[in-house]
Amino acid sequence: MGKKYIFISGGVCSSLGKGIATASLGSLLEARGIKIAIIKIDPYINVTAGSMNPFQHGEVYVTDDGAETDLDLGNYARFTVAPLDRRNSITTGQIYLDVIEGERQGRYLGETVQIIPHITDCIIDHIREVGGAEVEMVLVEIGGTVGDIESFPFIEATRQMIQENPKQVLSIHLTLVPQIANAEIKTKPTQHSVKELREIGVQPDILICRVPHILPLELRKKIALFTNVSVEDVISDPDVQETIYEVPLIFHQQHLDSIVLNKFGLPIPAINISNWEKIVHIQQSSTREVVIAIVGKYIDHSDSYKSVEESLGHGALASKAHLKLIRIESNKLEGSHNCAEVFQDCTAIILPGGFGARGVEGMINTVQYAREHNIPFFGICMGMQIMATEFARNVLGLKNANSIEVEKDCKYPTTTLVAERKELPLKGDMRLGREAITVDRDTLLYEIYQTREIEERHRHRYEIVLEYVPQFAQKGMIVSARSKGEHLVEALEWKGHPWGIGIQFHPEFLSSPQLPHPLFRSFIAQALHIQDTQSRTLPHSLSTKPDAVSASLA
């Protein structure tokens, strides 16, 4: 029978939630036992998302094989179990680079290289490379908006695949149906968006409409009439109040998964969505709330710490609690700061990754406050490196200590470039992807993982300077994990602190609502324990074995 392909395009404007819609449909197909793969196509000319500004693009999601990709791959990972690697992320830059390199190597035998057929053929080849023989359906999310000049080659590739084998390909178009001033709902933007898509030669099979509320039948009929789509195939994608994990249930209630299978002429297996029902039930019924401060450089962009914030939510979910995040720009904590006032309503603090010097002094002040006041603290990547700098300055007395990323010629450098370690496998000047880590016994980290051997994903170009490690240990900050072969510091801990851990890796890339990562689970559990007892000096509680995670949703 061959693989089936589902293309999901967007219209009217960007950021409507194509990634969530794609991931939600994927989760429903998996719940029916169907093996899927998911691809994100980004029309920008960057080869990867790795060098893009977080203020413009949000976080960079890293796969096991070290690909730096669009944040929507994180959505796919949280909603589905479909494997993800660098092939699941396609950009215009990758396509043009492939074609240009092929032309330089003589691949086209002197032909004039053109958008059609060479670019579109390359796009189709990349899409067909994804997924092994066991994959039954491939979902392809096309970034951007129909009508954008950047998206045209990808829509044209969709048209060609539909024309080649119409029974194997579906087109889903997600578009905005706005409500003007809380009054009339307008369908005209959707009509124009579908018209634009049809002018390129693609008739959508299914429409997903982003709306404030479920569309009434009258409006669905109107949309169907003007877009040549059956009324049953007009699906509402309403705003959700509690959690984005409601979306699979909302789609299932409208039979989206059954509609897709029917259009492919496939049988409809039984479905099991009990895990999504449990997750939504916990979110809707919980009366507990945990208050966490997230301190960072990119707070003004809501997607800059997408995976971290979602993982904190997963930890809260495991403890049957609501997460309340207080977002704090780190540069506002520099100079004459008052951390006591800023953090007075927070039970715990997390300091995620970042690059560059801006806001670092505010981060150092944050770490000092958390360490000295026994506030649960979680530092990720740069957050761990800031722990080293703060400890060197304020405990070891090395007042000029700093990261060489911030001050290249500082007197007491607490970090150095990973690229200087010639024995390490690097991608460019960075350590990227999933690698083995050894956890020391008699540490908080070991109590959380309950194993000495773990694997986590990395994305960094600096490491802790090893010469300071013995001095740190003498004064109460220990190394609790190292890379395999003991080349690099992977984790630091404050001894005698309720919960003070810094890690070089990125556990947020391995967390999902159905299986919260043990570190986020433990961090939130400790924050709730302290919050419930109104004390910041009680011992930590650490029942966080990975096999207990699923049971927490029962």
Side-chain angles (χ1 to χ4, degrees):
M1 290 175 59
K3 294 185 181 71
K4 314 294 185 185
Y5 292 89
I6 305 171
F7 287 87
I8 300 94
S9 58
V12 182
C13 64
S14 59
S15 301
L16 292 181
K18 288 195 302 295
I20 299 296
T22 302
S24 296
L25 173 57
S27 72
L28 291 176
L29 295 171
E30 285 187 338
R32 291 193 182 275
I34 296 167
K35 299 292 185 182
I36 68 165
I38 312 184
I39 299 171
K40 174 64 186 294
I41 290 176
D42 280 298
Y44 48 69
I45 299 177
N46 305 66
V47 175
T48 74
S51 60
M52 298 179 74
N53 190 327
F55 285 115
Q56 293 183 10
H57 193 71
E59 77 166 8
V60 173
Y61 182 84
V62 178
T63 58
D64 277 352
D65 62 347
E68 296 175 290
T69 73
D70 181 80
L71 60 82
D72 272 318
L73 269 75
N75 288 322
Y76 307 157
R78 289 184 283 272
F79 278 79
T80 76
V81 296
L84 296 170
D85 59 34
R86 63 181 61 254
R87 296 172 301 171
N88 298 85
S89 175
I90 299 174
T91 70
T92 294
Q94 292 173 16
I95 299 298
Y96 275 78
L97 184 64
D98 190 350
V99 171
I100 290 168
E101 288 180 342
E103 188 271 337
R104 294 289 81 192
Q105 295 163 7
R107 184 191 305 165
Y108 305 110
L109 302 177
E111 292 181 56
T112 299
V113 179
Q114 298 176 292
I115 302 295
I116 302 171
H118 303 100
I119 294 296
T120 51
D121 283 353
C122 185
I123 291 168
I124 292 169
D125 288 344
H126 277 244
I127 289 171
R128 286 178 170 158
E129 284 177 4
V130 175
E134 76 285 356
V135 170
E136 300 166 79
M137 290 190 190
V138 180
L139 285 69
V140 185
E141 179 193 346
I142 302 175
T145 306
V146 168
D148 293 345
I149 191 169
E150 295 93 343
S151 298
F152 172 78
F154 300 106
I155 302 297
E156 170 61 19
T158 303
R159 186 194 68 78
Q160 291 181 24
M161 289 186 69
I162 293 172
Q163 183 185 45
E164 181 182 335
N165 200 336
K167 294 183 179 180
Q168 300 291 103
V169 184
L170 280 182
S171 169
I172 297 178
H173 191 52
L174 188 148
T175 183
L176 178 66
V177 181
Q179 186 173 19
I180 306 301
N182 295 318
E184 188 177 358
I185 292 178
K186 297 293 185 180
T187 65
K188 191 65 72 176
T190 290
Q191 295 176 41
H192 281 292
S193 183
V194 173
K195 179 174 178 286
E196 189 96 33
L197 186 61
R198 293 173 69 183
E199 285 177 352
I200 304 172
V202 177
Q203 165 63 46
D205 299 288
I206 298 169
L207 283 180
I208 297 179
C209 300
R210 281 290 289 116
V211 287
H213 310 286
I214 294 286
L215 283 170
L217 179 60
E218 295 77 12
L219 284 177
R220 289 171 57 216
K221 286 181 176 179
K222 182 179 179 180
I223 291 170
L225 177 65
F226 285 99
T227 60
N228 202 29
V229 173
S230 299
V231 66
E232 295 82 7
D233 300 333
V234 178
I235 306 297
S236 297
D237 186 2
D239 298 338
V240 292
Q241 300 302 314
E242 296 289 342
T243 171
I244 57 173
Y245 303 120
E246 292 181 53
V247 178
L249 300 180
I250 293 170
F251 282 175
H252 178 64
Q253 289 164 5
Q254 300 172 81
H255 313 293
L256 176 59
D257 44 319
S258 300
I259 290 169
V260 167
L261 293 171
N262 276 327
K263 287 186 178 296
F264 280 130
L266 296 174
I268 301 177
I271 193 168
N272 181 359
I273 52 174
S274 58
N275 275 337
W276 294 117
E277 291 170 339
K278 290 173 184 176
I279 288 166
V280 172
H281 173 73
I282 291 171
Q283 290 279 1
Q284 293 176 344
S285 62
S286 175
T287 58
R288 303 177 77 198
E289 182 178 77
V290 60
V291 184
I292 307 294
I294 179 168
V295 178
K297 309 173 61 155
Y298 318 117
I299 292 297
D300 288 342
H301 193 297
S302 60
D303 286 334
S304 294
Y305 303 110
K306 181 69 173 176
S307 291
V308 171
E309 294 189 5
E310 287 295 321
S311 299
L312 289 168
H314 303 159
L317 184 67
S319 291
K320 296 182 171 60
H322 283 285
L323 172 69
K324 179 180 178 181
L325 275 177
I326 297 179
R327 298 174 175 87
I328 301 167
E329 191 77 29
S330 59
N331 60 8
K332 295 179 180 177
L333 293 169
E334 294 182 349
S336 55
H337 61 284
N338 187 351
C339 286
E341 182 178 344
V342 171
F343 297 118
Q344 63 181 344
D345 297 323
C346 308
T347 310
I349 301 170
I350 187 166
L351 181 59
F355 292 90
R358 186 180 60 84
V360 163
E361 291 301 320
M363 297 179 191
I364 292 171
N365 291 335
T366 297
V367 173
Q368 181 180 7
Y369 181 79
R371 179 178 57 81
E372 293 179 348
H373 291 80
N374 286 327
I375 297 173
F377 175 82
F378 192 2
I380 298 175
C381 196
M382 189 181 200
M384 183 192 81
Q385 295 169 10
I386 295 295
M387 285 179 69
T389 298
E390 186 279 328
F391 205 84
R393 285 187 187 182
N394 299 317
V395 179
L396 300 186
L398 306 175
K399 295 302 181 184
N400 295 318
N402 215 332
S403 166
I404 65 165
E405 180 180 13
V406 178
E407 186 182 353
K408 185 177 180 180
D409 298 318
C410 64
K411 186 175 180 180
Y412 302 111
T414 54
T415 69
T416 187
L417 286 167
V418 178
E420 295 180 2
R421 306 296 294 273
K422 303 301 182 184
E423 69 274 24
L424 295 174
L426 302 177
K427 294 176 175 65
D429 65 342
M430 295 187 72
R431 187 174 177 221
L432 287 165
R434 191 161 178 160
E435 292 183 19
I437 297 167
T438 302
V439 178
D440 287 356
R441 295 186 186 275
D442 301 321
T443 63
L444 176 53
L445 205 67
Y446 179 80
E447 291 185 56
I448 292 169
Y449 279 101
Q450 293 289 294
T451 182
R452 291 206 65 202
E453 302 300 324
I454 62 174
E455 290 187 352
E456 294 281 358
R457 296 181 194 170
H458 299 75
R459 182 179 184 248
H460 65 104
R461 59 170 51 92
Y462 296 92
E463 63 155 320
I464 300 296
V465 173
L466 296 179
E467 69 181 79
Y468 292 105
V469 168
Q471 299 176 61
F472 287 160
Q474 288 176 2
K475 295 293 186 177
M477 184 168 71
I478 63 167
V479 173
S480 53
R482 297 175 185 265
S483 61
K484 195 168 185 179
E486 300 192 349
H487 297 302
L488 303 176
V489 173
E490 291 278 9
L492 295 173
E493 289 182 18
W494 294 323
K495 296 297 288 183
H497 191 277
W499 207 104
I501 292 178
I503 52 174
Q504 188 61 74
F505 48 89
H506 289 271
E508 67 269 23
F509 296 146
L510 294 178
S511 185
S512 71
Q514 300 186 29
L515 193 66
H517 192 284
L519 279 168
F520 287 96
R521 177 182 164 91
S522 175
F523 178 62
I524 294 295
Q526 178 62 11
L528 280 166
H529 175 70
I530 289 178
Q531 190 169 285
D532 289 345
T533 57
Q534 296 298 302
S535 169
R536 291 194 169 104
T537 58
L538 293 179
H540 48 261
S541 56
L542 297 167
S543 178
T544 55
K545 293 183 181 180
D547 61 357
V549 175
S550 297
S552 72
L553 299 179

